[in-house]
Amino acid sequence: MSIKIVYSPFHKKHSPKYELFDGKVVNHVEVPRRIEKIVEVLKVRGFKIIQPKSFLARELYDIHRKKYVSFIRRASSNTIREFFPKKYSFDSYTPITAGTFDAALASASVAKIGADLLLSGESLVYSLCRPPGHHASFRMMGGYCYFNNAAIAANSLVKTGKVSILDIDFHHGNGTQEIFYERDDVLFVSIHADPRWAFPYSTGFGNERGLGKGRGYNFNFPLPLKTTPDLYLKRLNQGLEKIRRFGPNFLIISAGFDTYLKDPIGGFGLSINTFKNVAAQISSLNLPTLAVQEGGYCVKDLDKISLSFLSGFDSSPL
Ligand code: Q9C
Ligand code: ZN
């Protein structure tokens, strides 16, 4: 089966050194090496890599307010050192550097090209987005995210058919949830660490089901610290059942690998091999699928995790 990879070297322009955690300055874990580690092994294994040539800011306006986009553009071009913006941000983990706008725009384009590839008939595309996106909302950055890559891809696909977003990052995709909370054309299903003790703390509870006509189109599966592969795969199956019932034409996976047992900021117990099982369960949906990279910070194993994940789709009849 052929899997298309989308990648842009522009992500390297965003390379913050620090974040503020618990009032202390700590090293930033969302580093360029993450994506380089993955793309290098995929090249060696002979995957076809597609690089977008043009980046269009107007693709962002589908989801993000113009003022928010201009703020990030201006803040990036005006700064020499990294800083933590006081507006349009909900935490102190998401710094702006000189290259942040260019990298975040390229990241969104990498997701958008992935969506275009599904529209032109591809059945499985993996967009190596960086910086990640699922914590970003209409006009709010946070959790290392600036533009919501998965939401931009979903909004593009939904013009052709129903879309489901399955978020398997360790953290709740609060931005994506907010963006689609009152819509019934994009189903959001998220499996993540219980927000009572994990970032983003305020959303991701099981009783958040959507609002207005979006009621019944949002499902959260919060899980305990040290969640085992068994429990994880069981919840995943319940999430997939919601997607089956919805009957989408396209699936977008917010693919975070911070559920890995050695992740430095995670807290679940998934092994490298579990990611293959996760993908195999997902591929039983039999849907044209776009995987968008979100988190995952155990840099030394990201190559193995991504290979394990992609190998799970091999069992798919697509
Ligand atoms: N210094 C994503 O995985 N918490 N974002 C930082 C550790 C913020 C994670 C605390 C975690 C954000 C896309
Ligand atoms: Zn995460």
Side-chain angles (χ1 to χ4, degrees):
M1 186 196 28
S2 99
I3 304 176
K4 294 276 181 325
I5 311 294
V6 192
Y7 162 86
S8 163
F10 278 78
H11 78 86
K12 290 183 259 183
K13 296 185 79 172
H14 175 68
S15 182
K17 299 287 174 282
Y18 308 110
E19 61 188 273
L20 302 175
F21 181 61
D22 252 2
K24 285 186 275 291
V25 176
V26 300
N27 286 339
H28 204 65
V29 296
E30 204 289 279
V31 293
R33 194 69 200 122
R34 298 176 53 240
I35 290 298
E36 292 305 296
K37 186 86 182 169
I38 296 174
V39 79
E40 278 166 18
V41 76
L42 296 180
K43 268 185 201 154
V44 169
R45 299 298 176 102
F47 286 89
K48 185 166 167 40
I49 318 254
I50 295 152
Q51 280 194 29
K53 306 170 271 301
S54 61
F55 309 105
L56 299 174
R58 86 174 119 79
E59 288 167 353
L60 303 171
Y61 303 143
D62 237 24
I63 296 292
H64 298 286
R65 299 292 171 262
K66 280 198 171 169
K67 280 200 160 171
Y68 173 71
V69 173
S70 331
F71 172 77
I72 299 179
R73 183 194 276 121
R74 251 181 298 116
S76 298
S77 66
N78 287 345
T79 190
I80 305 164
R81 288 192 302 150
E82 67 185 81
F83 77 104
F84 296 91
K86 285 183 189 57
K87 53 179 181 178
Y88 299 120
S89 178
F90 67 83
D91 64 22
S92 60
Y93 307 139
T94 315
I96 290 190
T97 69
T100 296
F101 180 79
D102 291 349
L105 175 60
S107 187
S109 303
V110 163
K112 172 70 167 58
I113 302 283
D116 291 346
L117 285 166
L118 289 194
L119 290 174
S120 62
E122 291 296 332
S123 50
L124 179 57
V125 181
Y126 180 21
S127 285
L128 296 180
C129 295
R130 183 185 170 271
H134 74 154
H135 296 304
S137 181
F138 301 110
R139 43 177 173 172
M140 201 55 95
M141 66 191 87
Y144 317 149
C145 303
Y146 304 85
F147 302 133
N148 196 312
N149 309 314
I152 289 166
N155 230 16
S156 153
L157 289 171
V158 83
K159 288 166 190 142
T160 311
K162 296 198 295 180
V163 178
S164 185
I165 302 177
L166 172 66
D167 191 322
I168 58 169
D169 187 275
F170 175 79
H171 306 95
H172 178 240
N174 61 296
T176 313
Q177 168 169 304
E178 186 181 332
I179 288 165
F180 297 110
Y181 209 59
E182 297 183 43
R183 286 171 56 167
D184 60 3
D185 53 349
V186 177
L187 176 79
F188 181 63
V189 175
S190 183
I191 303 164
H192 50 265
D194 194 322
R196 280 178 304 176
W197 53 268
F199 184 88
Y201 306 107
S202 51
T203 61
F205 297 97
N207 62 358
E208 296 158 13
R209 293 291 184 92
L211 210 63
K213 74 173 160 53
R215 186 144 200 94
Y217 295 88
N218 192 93
F219 292 97
N220 286 321
F221 295 88
L223 289 171
L225 189 64
K226 299 198 165 122
T227 285
T228 59
D230 270 7
L231 175 62
Y232 190 89
L233 291 167
K234 198 181 287 169
R235 286 294 171 275
L236 174 63
N237 218 9
Q238 291 174 327
L240 294 176
E241 209 34 63
K242 303 292 183 195
I243 296 175
R244 276 191 197 96
R245 207 165 301 162
F246 177 65
N249 303 91
F250 302 101
L251 177 70
I252 296 178
I253 307 170
S254 263
F257 296 153
D258 36 9
T259 49
Y260 176 46
L261 82 174
K262 291 184 194 162
D263 194 278
I265 69 166
F268 285 176
L270 306 205
S271 69
I272 290 173
N273 195 51
T274 312
F275 289 89
K276 178 179 180 151
N277 303 135
V278 167
Q281 282 195 17
I282 295 172
S283 72
S284 75
L285 290 174
N286 236 322
L287 288 167
T289 298
L290 169 65
V292 170
Q293 190 68 49
E294 300 284 359
Y297 307 98
C298 181
V299 174
K300 84 171 172 59
D301 288 339
L302 283 177
D303 52 349
K304 294 162 218 112
I305 297 173
S306 64
L307 282 179
S308 171
F309 183 68
L310 292 181
S311 74
F313 289 98
D314 279 342
S315 50
S316 159
L318 278 174

